[in-house]
Amino acid sequence: FTLVVPARKRGQEDPCQPPERTIVSFLELTTEFNTTRNTSISQSTIRRIFIKYKIGIYSALKKPLLRPYDKQRGLKWCRERRYWTIEQWKNIMWSDESNFELINRKSNITVKRMTREKYYARYIRPTVQSGGGSIGIWSCFNYKGVGMCQTYTGRINSRIYVEVLENNLIPSIDLLMLNDKPWKLQQDGATAHTAYYTKEWFNDNNIKTIPWPPYSPDLNPIENIWAWIDRELAKVQISTLGQLKDVLKETWYRVPEAISKNHVESMPRRVLSCIKAKGGYTKY
């Protein structure tokens, strides 16, 4: 059991770099505590304190690096939409791309085993370089439910992206009955999304997009749907990329409508959480 302790003094942190860390064992921690405070507390006492205040070892969350400028933009975006109603959020068509690897799963998989069975093959989660290949997917959803999706391999440029929009976004507007509403498309700032060719297509089709702050997955509810899909994929034995493609599409189209509604209804809370964190990381 180890404790992770910050090594830098306050005021010396580099906002663009993670803080330096020093691993301290219970023995070292107890010795240092007793030496600096002239006490004689035992290791067992320190352990009980850790248990009492629920201090433990946890996997560090993976989040995009937020520089001060990124936080400012995210905070500004949230402040401008602080008083948006649920009805306003309902008029957003959320979209994104994600990649799912054949073998390496994103979600954690838990197993029940005895301590001595730690290295038994049936309890190992094998991984391979490059994940054994991957399938990309573009999807969109609204408060009313999920729209169309399209799978792909490789990278997306502006022309491919426009083709995806023509084949999937336009039909999704009809599917979710947004034609008679002042809806807007949400997309991130990927190069293909902001290219001149893409902007021209938006203008020609009279499609408006909502400004989007960089590095802000906490604000995009579709990220939660990707996580749900990955958990569902973990329940299926998938052995080929073709099978992954089919299962991925099938899983997308059975996303419960309640999930779409709940995540869109969470937007006011997401915005307030971001403001409270001053543009930093939130639980979303």
Side-chain angles (χ1 to χ4, degrees), residues 111-124:
V111 296
K112 292 182 179 179
R113 58 168 175 78
M114 299 178 68
T115 303
R116 61 183 175 80
E117 297 175 327
K118 180 177 182 179
Y119 296 104
Y120 283 23
R122 63 178 176 273
Y123 298 125
I124 296 293

mmCIF file of all heavy atoms in Angstrom, residues 111-124:
data_model
loop_
_atom_site.group_PDB
_atom_site.id
_atom_site.type_symbol
_atom_site.label_atom_id
_atom_site.label_comp_id
_atom_site.label_asym_id
_atom_site.label_seq_id
_atom_site.Cartn_x
_atom_site.Cartn_y
_atom_site.Cartn_z
ATOM 1 N N VAL A 111 -13.549 -9.490 -12.801
ATOM 2 C CA VAL A 111 -13.694 -10.942 -12.704
ATOM 3 C C VAL A 111 -13.699 -11.332 -11.232
ATOM 4 O O VAL A 111 -13.112 -10.652 -10.392
ATOM 5 C CB VAL A 111 -12.547 -11.684 -13.434
ATOM 6 C CG1 VAL A 111 -12.575 -11.400 -14.924
ATOM 7 C CG2 VAL A 111 -11.189 -11.303 -12.840
ATOM 8 N N LYS A 112 -14.364 -12.432 -10.930
ATOM 9 C CA LYS A 112 -14.367 -12.973 -9.572
ATOM 10 C C LYS A 112 -13.428 -14.168 -9.549
ATOM 11 O O LYS A 112 -13.602 -15.120 -10.313
ATOM 12 C CB LYS A 112 -15.780 -13.387 -9.180
ATOM 13 C CG LYS A 112 -16.748 -12.222 -9.022
ATOM 14 C CD LYS A 112 -18.125 -12.690 -8.584
ATOM 15 C CE LYS A 112 -19.060 -11.513 -8.408
ATOM 16 N NZ LYS A 112 -20.427 -11.943 -8.000
ATOM 17 N N ARG A 113 -12.417 -14.108 -8.703
ATOM 18 C CA ARG A 113 -11.415 -15.171 -8.653
ATOM 19 C C ARG A 113 -10.776 -15.193 -7.272
ATOM 20 O O ARG A 113 -10.937 -14.259 -6.473
ATOM 21 C CB ARG A 113 -10.339 -14.926 -9.707
ATOM 22 C CG ARG A 113 -9.634 -13.590 -9.552
ATOM 23 C CD ARG A 113 -8.393 -13.474 -10.407
ATOM 24 N NE ARG A 113 -7.803 -12.150 -10.342
ATOM 25 C CZ ARG A 113 -7.054 -11.699 -9.339
ATOM 26 N NH1 ARG A 113 -6.816 -12.480 -8.288
ATOM 27 N NH2 ARG A 113 -6.549 -10.483 -9.360
ATOM 28 N N MET A 114 -10.030 -16.255 -7.009
ATOM 29 C CA MET A 114 -9.245 -16.346 -5.794
ATOM 30 C C MET A 114 -7.915 -15.628 -6.026
ATOM 31 O O MET A 114 -7.487 -15.439 -7.173
ATOM 32 C CB MET A 114 -9.009 -17.809 -5.418
ATOM 33 C CG MET A 114 -10.305 -18.572 -5.156
ATOM 34 S SD MET A 114 -10.024 -20.313 -4.778
ATOM 35 C CE MET A 114 -9.215 -20.158 -3.166
ATOM 36 N N THR A 115 -7.254 -15.249 -4.961
ATOM 37 C CA THR A 115 -5.992 -14.515 -5.073
ATOM 38 C C THR A 115 -4.960 -15.294 -5.882
ATOM 39 O O THR A 115 -4.285 -14.736 -6.743
ATOM 40 C CB THR A 115 -5.425 -14.222 -3.668
ATOM 41 O OG1 THR A 115 -6.389 -13.487 -2.917
ATOM 42 C CG2 THR A 115 -4.137 -13.414 -3.777
ATOM 43 N N ARG A 116 -4.871 -16.604 -5.656
ATOM 44 C CA ARG A 116 -3.878 -17.414 -6.357
ATOM 45 C C ARG A 116 -4.197 -17.605 -7.837
ATOM 46 O O ARG A 116 -3.366 -18.108 -8.593
ATOM 47 C CB ARG A 116 -3.751 -18.774 -5.677
ATOM 48 C CG ARG A 116 -5.035 -19.596 -5.681
ATOM 49 C CD ARG A 116 -4.864 -20.906 -4.932
ATOM 50 N NE ARG A 116 -6.091 -21.659 -4.817
ATOM 51 C CZ ARG A 116 -6.608 -22.421 -5.776
ATOM 52 N NH1 ARG A 116 -5.966 -22.511 -6.951
ATOM 53 N NH2 ARG A 116 -7.743 -23.071 -5.602
ATOM 54 N N GLU A 117 -5.402 -17.205 -8.271
ATOM 55 C CA GLU A 117 -5.803 -17.385 -9.669
ATOM 56 C C GLU A 117 -5.530 -16.148 -10.526
ATOM 57 O O GLU A 117 -5.991 -16.052 -11.655
ATOM 58 C CB GLU A 117 -7.298 -17.728 -9.742
ATOM 59 C CG GLU A 117 -7.666 -19.034 -9.056
ATOM 60 C CD GLU A 117 -9.153 -19.284 -9.040
ATOM 61 O OE1 GLU A 117 -9.920 -18.292 -8.957
ATOM 62 O OE2 GLU A 117 -9.572 -20.461 -9.107
ATOM 63 N N LYS A 118 -4.767 -15.217 -10.000
ATOM 64 C CA LYS A 118 -4.525 -13.939 -10.668
ATOM 65 C C LYS A 118 -4.004 -14.102 -12.092
ATOM 66 O O LYS A 118 -4.395 -13.366 -13.000
ATOM 67 C CB LYS A 118 -3.527 -13.111 -9.838
ATOM 68 C CG LYS A 118 -3.199 -11.749 -10.438
ATOM 69 C CD LYS A 118 -2.268 -10.976 -9.514
ATOM 70 C CE LYS A 118 -1.962 -9.594 -10.080
ATOM 71 N NZ LYS A 118 -1.081 -8.818 -9.167
ATOM 72 N N TYR A 119 -3.116 -15.084 -12.324
ATOM 73 C CA TYR A 119 -2.491 -15.241 -13.632
ATOM 74 C C TYR A 119 -3.075 -16.402 -14.443
ATOM 75 O O TYR A 119 -2.486 -16.822 -15.428
ATOM 76 C CB TYR A 119 -0.973 -15.402 -13.472
ATOM 77 C CG TYR A 119 -0.334 -14.169 -12.877
ATOM 78 C CD1 TYR A 119 0.076 -14.146 -11.537
ATOM 79 C CD2 TYR A 119 -0.164 -13.012 -13.635
ATOM 80 C CE1 TYR A 119 0.644 -13.019 -10.980
ATOM 81 C CE2 TYR A 119 0.409 -11.880 -13.084
ATOM 82 C CZ TYR A 119 0.805 -11.881 -11.760
ATOM 83 O OH TYR A 119 1.365 -10.753 -11.223
ATOM 84 N N TYR A 120 -4.231 -16.904 -14.038
ATOM 85 C CA TYR A 120 -4.898 -17.938 -14.826
ATOM 86 C C TYR A 120 -5.412 -17.313 -16.124
ATOM 87 O O TYR A 120 -5.941 -16.209 -16.124
ATOM 88 C CB TYR A 120 -6.063 -18.539 -14.042
ATOM 89 C CG TYR A 120 -5.652 -19.524 -12.965
ATOM 90 C CD1 TYR A 120 -4.373 -19.495 -12.405
ATOM 91 C CD2 TYR A 120 -6.541 -20.484 -12.499
ATOM 92 C CE1 TYR A 120 -4.004 -20.395 -11.417
ATOM 93 C CE2 TYR A 120 -6.178 -21.391 -11.506
ATOM 94 C CZ TYR A 120 -4.900 -21.333 -10.961
ATOM 95 O OH TYR A 120 -4.535 -22.215 -9.977
ATOM 96 N N ALA A 121 -5.255 -18.046 -17.222
ATOM 97 C CA ALA A 121 -5.596 -17.507 -18.541
ATOM 98 C C ALA A 121 -7.040 -17.025 -18.627
ATOM 99 O O ALA A 121 -7.336 -16.012 -19.267
ATOM 100 C CB ALA A 121 -5.333 -18.562 -19.624
ATOM 101 N N ARG A 122 -7.954 -17.755 -17.982
ATOM 102 C CA ARG A 122 -9.367 -17.379 -18.109
ATOM 103 C C ARG A 122 -9.697 -16.083 -17.375
ATOM 104 O O ARG A 122 -10.781 -15.520 -17.562
ATOM 105 C CB ARG A 122 -10.260 -18.515 -17.594
ATOM 106 C CG ARG A 122 -10.112 -18.865 -16.125
ATOM 107 C CD ARG A 122 -11.103 -19.975 -15.755
ATOM 108 N NE ARG A 122 -10.965 -20.437 -14.386
ATOM 109 C CZ ARG A 122 -10.146 -21.387 -13.985
ATOM 110 N NH1 ARG A 122 -9.355 -21.966 -14.887
ATOM 111 N NH2 ARG A 122 -10.091 -21.766 -12.733
ATOM 112 N N TYR A 123 -8.779 -15.593 -16.539
ATOM 113 C CA TYR A 123 -9.009 -14.346 -15.831
ATOM 114 C C TYR A 123 -8.143 -13.200 -16.377
ATOM 115 O O TYR A 123 -8.130 -12.110 -15.806
ATOM 116 C CB TYR A 123 -8.719 -14.516 -14.338
ATOM 117 C CG TYR A 123 -9.614 -15.537 -13.676
ATOM 118 C CD1 TYR A 123 -9.081 -16.618 -12.973
ATOM 119 C CD2 TYR A 123 -11.001 -15.429 -13.770
ATOM 120 C CE1 TYR A 123 -9.903 -17.557 -12.368
ATOM 121 C CE2 TYR A 123 -11.831 -16.371 -13.164
ATOM 122 C CZ TYR A 123 -11.279 -17.429 -12.473
ATOM 123 O OH TYR A 123 -12.100 -18.353 -11.881
ATOM 124 N N ILE A 124 -7.449 -13.457 -17.457
ATOM 125 C CA ILE A 124 -6.598 -12.438 -18.079
ATOM 126 C C ILE A 124 -7.375 -11.740 -19.189
ATOM 127 O O ILE A 124 -8.101 -12.374 -19.955
ATOM 128 C CB ILE A 124 -5.313 -13.070 -18.658
ATOM 129 C CG1 ILE A 124 -4.463 -13.655 -17.528
ATOM 130 C CG2 ILE A 124 -4.522 -12.048 -19.453
ATOM 131 C CD1 ILE A 124 -3.886 -12.631 -16.583
#
